[in-house]
Every structure is written in C-alpha cells, then in structure tokens.
Amino acid sequence: MQTRRIAQQQVSALGLGCMNLSHAYGVPPTAEQAERVLLGALDLGITLLDTAALYGYGANEELLGRVLSGHRHRYMLASKCGIFQEDGKRVIDGRPATIRQTCEASLQRLRTDVIDLYYLHRWDKQVPIEDSVGALADLVAAGKIRHIGLSEVSAATLRRAHAIHPIAALQTEYSLWTRNPEIAVLDACRELGIAFVAFSPLGRGFLSDSPPDVNAFEDNDIRRSMPRFSAGNMVANRGLHQKLTQLATQAGCSIAQLALAWLLGKGPHVIALPGTTSLAHLAENAGAAECMLSAELRAALDALMQTSPVSGARYNPLTQREIDTEEFA
C-alpha cells in the first residue's frame, strides 16, 4: 500500500470511509459484516479510518469503538463534529461549547482517550470559522485530539482557519465526476502543506463496474435527493459510464481502480477515502494503489470528462447552501 502524510504521520494512500456501515445508503450491513469490513481494512494495510458523530447518530462511532478499540495502534482515527441529531433533526452547530460537548461524547463512543484527526464536519456560517477552530485548538491543547481538519470549505475559509491553528487535512468530495476542488482548494492544500482527503472518490457508486440502479434505492438512501442520480440525469450519465468502461479495459483494471488511481495521481498530498460494505470491493479498491496510469490514459480521462460532462448537480439547493466549497459557474 502506498502511503501519504497527514501532519507528521504516515497513513495509507487509500483510507476507509465508514459512513455506509451505519448510515445514509439504505439498510446498513449487519454488525458482523461491518466488523469483517473494518478488520479486513486493517489487514489490507488501510490505516486511515474515518467516521463522524453524524453517522448513524453515534452508531458508527460506537461500532468503531467496539470493534477496533483493541487495535488502536494500527490506524489513524478520524472523526467529525459540527453536525449531529437533535430532537430528530439534523443540526449544524459550530459553537465552541457544542464542539467540546460533541468531542467528549465521541471519545466515549470510540472508547479512546484521543482522536487523531478531528474535523469540523460543516462550517456553521453563524459562527466565525476562527471561533470554531479556536475551540478545536483548545481540544488539541487539552490532549483530546491530535490534529484539526475541515470538511467542505473553500480555499479562503481554509486560509482563515489555518491562520488560527495549523490545519492537518481538508476533506471534500473529489472524483472523476466531481472536479470542484480543482478550482482552488486542491492547490491551496498543496501550498500550505495540508493533506487533501477526497471523500466519495467513486462517485457514490457510479464509478464502478455496476453503477447503481436508481429505481432500486431504498427510501433512506441519500442519493434520492441528489440531482445527478435522478432517473433523467442517469440516462445521460450512463453514456459517460460506457466510455469509462472502455478506458478501464484499456488500462487493464476495473472502473473503481481506474478512478482511484487517477485520483492518487493528482498529487502526493491527495488521499482517497472510498467506503464499502463489501469485502470484495474493499480488496478491489486496495488494488488501485498498484495501478499505474500512463500520461496518455490520464489525458484521455480528462478529455472524456470535458467532452462528456456529468448531468446533474451533486447536491440539491438546500444541501448546497450548507457547504462552503467553490462551485463552477
């Protein structure tokens, strides 16, 4: 497994996003299957595991605490604050007191004394980013967390935050079909020495050999609210998928491996964070670290995405208002 750096710690170039073991994509796997995936990731050399207070409203952190507390030395633990459930509703709250409370609850659920990398899951735009990052800096000073991360923020917000306390990692969506980070924040991370962690690097299942059937989504699958997964947009996007299949065949790998290898080639500061509930897909994803793409194939991929643009926005308008990332016109 290739390695990359977050702060001064080496981690695997491919991490594991743990959200779908408890949250967001329909009925989650059984506890036994989730345990097999988590332990299987460690056995494959995956050393960055990512969770959040939001995922399963605490259930995902409890899962990691139960399964992995005895393996704490084997991986970098990342979690997030700033979004949680209150009275059955999803709440974004970046006030310092709330951040401190959320951290204490997460530490208990994760069965650990310290979280290696703690992200502000969303910037609460009612609270200056300096105040939220200041609260996270206090948690570093108290030994509750080791490093600070931010999620779904712009380059300008990242710079403001980094001026208060060093930011170790920025996490946002980045893949062949979501290129927004290339506007500014990818280069800002490179300039500032900040790791860029790409979530949904497989396009929430689209960048795989078998793209999802939108008609089979369960009622609580978050993709139901995402415009690019609407039935009409997916008709157009399937044409793009067919062309990706041809390029993957040319490269001698799966579409998922092609997408992950392309992403890792975007710079030594880039880390991919796919999630899965399948041991077979876990092994397939790990194999992407060994896929070498030629300059010609990388150019062909970029040209394809320019000539066959993705149909549909990544978020609906309500969700879009919650984030701070740069957007294409």
Side-chain angles (χ1 to χ4, degrees):
M1 177 66 69
Q2 297 177 30
T3 61
R4 302 283 160 97
R5 183 177 58 81
I6 295 180
Q8 300 307 314
Q9 184 170 339
Q10 293 293 122
V11 298
S12 54
L14 289 167
L16 178 66
C18 300
M19 179 175 77
N20 58 358
L21 298 178
S22 306
H23 184 85
Y25 290 94
V27 176
T30 63
E32 293 75 17
Q33 177 64 11
E35 180 173 347
R36 284 193 286 269
V37 169
L38 290 171
L39 295 176
L42 296 184
D43 290 341
L44 285 168
I46 295 171
T47 60
L48 175 64
L49 303 185
D50 183 277
T51 181
L54 175 68
Y55 302 161
Y57 307 116
N60 199 246
E61 288 182 326
E62 290 176 348
L63 169 68
L64 268 67
R66 177 178 60 80
V67 174
L68 299 177
S69 59
H71 301 268
R72 191 66 183 81
H73 63 288
R74 298 177 64 187
Y75 65 98
M76 179 181 239
L77 172 62
S79 191
K80 308 180 194 72
C81 64
I83 314 182
F84 52 89
Q85 187 183 47
E86 186 175 78
D87 298 328
K89 296 181 180 179
R90 181 174 173 272
V91 175
I92 295 177
D93 188 343
R95 292 175 296 175
T98 304
I99 288 174
R100 289 191 293 269
Q101 293 168 4
T102 305
C103 182
E104 291 294 343
S106 291
L107 287 167
Q108 291 182 20
R109 288 190 292 263
L110 290 163
R111 304 186 190 186
T112 188
D113 295 328
V114 61
I115 297 170
D116 298 313
L117 175 60
Y118 202 44
Y119 290 96
L120 185 65
H121 204 161
R122 291 292 184 274
W123 174 31
D124 178 356
K125 298 174 185 177
Q126 303 303 310
V127 179
I129 190 65
E130 290 84 356
D131 290 358
S132 295
V133 171
L136 292 168
D138 290 342
L139 292 173
V140 173
K144 303 287 186 179
I145 67 176
R146 290 196 171 99
H147 305 292
I148 298 173
L150 298 177
S151 177
E152 293 275 53
V153 300
S154 65
T157 302
L158 174 63
R159 292 180 189 280
R160 286 172 55 191
H162 194 65
I164 300 301
H165 186 281
I167 303 300
L170 181 142
Q171 180 175 140
T172 197
E173 184 173 356
Y174 187 33
S175 69
L176 275 168
W177 84 337
T178 298
R179 308 292 284 273
N180 305 66
E182 295 174 4
I183 299 172
V185 79
L186 189 65
D187 286 340
C189 285
R190 181 185 294 107
E191 174 192 335
L192 297 172
I194 296 170
F196 182 95
V197 180
F199 75 76
S200 296
L202 299 180
R204 302 182 189 275
F206 178 79
L207 297 171
S208 66
D209 288 347
S210 300
D213 178 2
V214 298
N215 297 312
F217 288 162
E218 297 175 47
D219 291 343
N220 59 342
D221 192 313
I222 59 172
R223 291 172 292 185
R224 281 186 170 274
S225 68
M226 295 177 173
R228 63 180 52 173
F229 284 100
S230 70
N233 283 327
M234 280 298 284
V235 170
N237 289 331
R238 283 188 180 276
L240 170 62
H241 189 274
Q242 291 172 357
K243 296 173 183 178
L244 286 171
T245 299
Q246 296 170 0
L247 291 175
T249 300
Q250 179 182 334
C253 61
S254 69
I255 293 178
Q257 290 173 330
L258 179 77
L260 292 171
W262 172 86
L263 189 64
L264 294 180
K266 281 298 183 177
H269 66 308
V270 176
I271 297 167
L273 192 69
T276 185
T277 62
S278 162
L279 286 172
H281 289 163
L282 184 71
E284 177 188 352
N285 293 345
E290 304 307 319
C291 292
M292 298 293 108
L293 305 185
S294 67
E296 292 77 14
L297 185 55
R298 295 184 67 85
L301 282 167
D302 287 334
L304 170 61
M305 303 311 296
Q306 292 172 2
T307 57
S308 302
V310 177
S311 180
R314 69 180 181 119
Y315 286 140
N316 62 45
L318 178 62
T319 304
Q320 185 65 41
R321 287 196 292 271
E322 295 178 350
I323 64 175
D324 179 52
T325 54
E326 292 89 356
E327 299 298 319
F328 290 106

